[in-house]
């Protein structure tokens, strides 16, 4: 017996939308950058890094895993480019800044993964609720 291939199978309830996902990530990273630049004189690099982590968490709940990981890398590059000395380059002078960037990368990937798992579980429970409601 042949499986029906007319309807594509997706993990989760929504098909992948790479352009929409990339636009979401770009908008969130642009927002984090603008807020960071506006608050730059009043905050530390750590606070600016948290803006990017927040953007990554929000993005990873709404976009595909691969786009979220690309967003994490883009967030680290943005933080480096806009806020780490020497500014407006991708060079890192101080060793502690390199360590901070690598730590941010690891934390953001982990949080991104956890947010994606949470989203998939919520979608799965929603599908279970629909099945239960239709059986009653």
């Amino acid at each position: 017996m042949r499986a029906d291939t007319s309807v594509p199978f997706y993990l989760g309830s929504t098909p992948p939308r790479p352009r929409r996902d990339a636009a979401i990530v770009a908008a969130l990273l642009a927002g984090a950058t603008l807020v960071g630049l506006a608050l730059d004189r009043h905050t530390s690099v750590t606070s600016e890094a948290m803006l990017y982590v927040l953007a990554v968490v929000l993005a990873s709940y709404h976009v595909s895993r691969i786009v979220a990981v690309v967003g994490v890398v883009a967030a680290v590059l943005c933080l480096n480019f806009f806020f780490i000395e020497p500014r407006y380059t991708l060079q890192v002078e101080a060793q502690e800044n390199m360590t901070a960037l690598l730590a941010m990368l690891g934390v953001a990937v982990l949080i991104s993964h956890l947010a994606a798992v949470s989203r998939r579980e919520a979608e799965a429970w929603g599908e279970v609720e629909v099945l239960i409601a239709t059986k009653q």
Side-chain angles (χ1 to χ4, degrees):
M1 185 181 257
R2 247 178 116 202
D4 181 17
T5 58
S6 62
V7 178
F9 173 75
Y10 300 110
L11 293 176
S13 61
T14 59
R17 299 179 197 155
R19 287 185 183 164
R20 178 197 69 113
D21 290 357
I24 289 171
V25 169
L28 288 168
L29 292 180
T33 301
L34 291 174
V35 171
L37 289 171
L39 298 176
D40 189 33
R41 292 190 174 143
H42 309 289
T43 60
S44 66
V45 173
T46 305
S47 298
E48 291 154 348
M50 292 304 106
L51 292 171
Y52 286 108
V53 171
L54 177 62
V56 166
V57 169
L58 292 172
S60 63
Y61 196 78
H62 297 285
V63 302
S64 68
R65 181 175 290 178
I66 188 73
V67 175
V69 170
V70 170
V72 167
V73 173
V76 170
L77 291 174
C78 286
L79 178 67
N80 183 13
F81 187 81
F82 290 106
F83 301 106
I84 301 289
E85 296 293 336
R87 289 184 179 216
Y88 311 112
T89 69
L90 293 177
Q91 296 176 350
V92 179
E93 284 184 354
Q95 181 64 33
E96 67 263 10
N97 289 338
M98 181 59 79
T99 304
L101 288 170
L102 292 175
M104 180 189 158
L105 181 66
V107 167
V109 167
L110 176 65
I111 291 173
S112 172
H113 169 72
L114 293 173
V117 167
S118 174
R119 180 192 69 203
R120 281 196 312 275
E121 287 180 1
E123 288 174 351
W125 277 110
E127 291 171 5
V128 167
E129 289 174 354
V130 168
L131 286 173
I132 290 172
T134 58
K135 297 237 179 198
Q136 292 178 353

